[in-house]
Amino acid sequence: VGAAVANSKLLRNLSLRGNDIGDEGVDVLTHALIHSSTLQLLDMSTNRSITNKGWQTLSTLLTTPNSSLEELVLCENILDDEGALIFASALANNCKLKKLSLWDNAIAAKGWSAFSKLLCEPSSVNKTFLSNHTLQAISGVQGNRDDVEYLLTLNEGADKKQVAITKIMEHHSEFNMQPLLEWDFKVMPLVIGFFQRAAACPQTDQRDMENRKLYAIYQFIQGEPSLYVKFWLHAELDKVDAKEMKLNRKQLKLTLEFEGKQRELTLKFEGIKKRKRSIESRI
């Protein structure tokens, strides 16, 4: 099977359900599939001889840059919390897999918590932004994990930046602007733009969003009042520059119109003189 798989360039779906594959078989299979850029579905259900060592090997299919796998079926195995941690870790930077089937395994609270953290890492804004926003379905979720189900529903959104923003706004009530002060007010339009985009999310409280935007601006001003004065002066200077440019364009337009009229009068005078000379030559 490994040789046939390795030589296939059109393979899209592969089912090895109930084939009593063990860790050695997984090693051969993974080696054959590691460079596949066409495989979209892999079914490894009911292969209870596979241990966490084999799952660790198989998970490398999810970490390769050319991975095209969109659905992975691992139902009816003995996958436990450690196995769940293995796949959650492998999916950290994966932007392809959309569906993971885990029915009838041995995953408990620790394993489901790993998937929750995969979908939304709340320890910092940056880690939340870099969470997995692609995985849309995990079948077999147990233990009243509404958090996992909700995050999977969010991931169904087509605009992944919007998905990330929604997660950030829901898990970070206040933004610490202090690290951004070294950027002066150059970053301010980006911050305001972020809140405006967040306000477009269906789950967003508009009044709360406006308050958070104003609080972020307040932190900038409070942190560096001199920067605000500098920012205000630059803004006023920009207004003056804009008015000056407008007047220059108007002056240029009038100059061109005057030169055009002047050329027109010159041509008329030359025509009159030419006509005069023609009449005089006949007298």
Side-chain angles (χ1 to χ4, degrees), residues 208-219:
D208 176 64
M209 193 58 55
E210 186 65 22
N211 290 337
R212 290 165 77 171
K213 180 174 72 174
L214 292 174
Y215 181 66
I217 296 172
Y218 167 74
Q219 285 188 72

Side-chain angles (χ1 to χ4, degrees), residues 15-208:
S15 176
L16 295 172
R17 175 188 291 266
N19 275 277
D20 196 27
I21 297 173
D23 291 346
E24 292 184 6
V26 170
D27 187 71
V28 173
L29 178 66
T30 302
H31 182 75
L33 292 174
I34 198 70
H35 298 299
S36 173
S37 58
T38 59
L39 185 66
Q40 296 179 348
L41 184 151
L42 176 62
D43 187 348
M44 295 292 291
S45 299
T46 323
N47 286 289
R48 295 179 176 272
S49 297
I50 302 176
T51 68
N52 286 326
K53 179 182 178 182
W55 296 132
Q56 182 69 61
T57 302
L58 187 70
S59 71
T60 59
L61 293 178
L62 301 171
T63 61
T64 57
N66 65 327
S67 174
S68 56
L69 201 60
E70 295 184 3
E71 182 174 354
L72 180 60
V73 184
L74 304 174
C75 301
E76 298 177 332
N77 285 301
I78 54 172
L79 195 69
D80 56 13
D81 284 345
E82 184 179 345
L85 288 168
I86 288 170
F87 282 101
S89 176
L91 286 168
N93 297 309
N94 183 285
C95 297
K96 291 290 185 179
L97 196 76
K98 296 179 180 179
K99 185 175 182 180
L100 179 62
S101 298
L102 297 172
W103 285 109
D104 293 332
N105 277 288
I107 302 173
K110 185 178 180 180
W112 296 122
S113 293
F115 283 115
S116 178
K117 193 174 181 179
L118 163 72
L119 297 168
C120 184
E121 164 58 276
S123 62
S124 71
V125 171
N126 189 52
K127 287 184 178 180
T128 301
F129 183 78
L130 295 175
S131 298
N132 184 298
H133 309 306
T134 305
L135 189 61
Q136 299 176 13
I138 303 179
S139 62
V141 178
Q142 298 176 351
N144 193 28
R145 297 310 301 250
D146 292 341
D147 56 333
V148 175
E149 297 289 0
Y150 174 68
L151 292 169
L152 290 169
T153 301
L154 282 183
N155 278 5
E156 293 176 2
D159 188 338
K160 297 307 176 183
K161 287 186 178 180
Q162 198 75 20
V163 172
I165 289 173
T166 301
K167 292 179 182 179
I168 289 171
M169 300 312 297
E170 291 189 358
H171 290 83
H172 301 276
S173 58
E174 293 185 0
F175 279 52
N176 180 14
M177 297 292 111
Q178 193 66 35
L180 301 178
L181 292 178
E182 61 183 71
W183 292 68
D184 295 345
F185 274 82
K186 296 173 184 177
V187 76
M188 179 62 77
L190 298 177
V191 173
I192 294 175
F194 173 85
F195 282 107
Q196 289 175 337
R197 186 164 182 173
C201 299
Q203 298 86 353
T204 299
D205 183 327
Q206 299 296 320
R207 181 178 297 178
D208 176 64

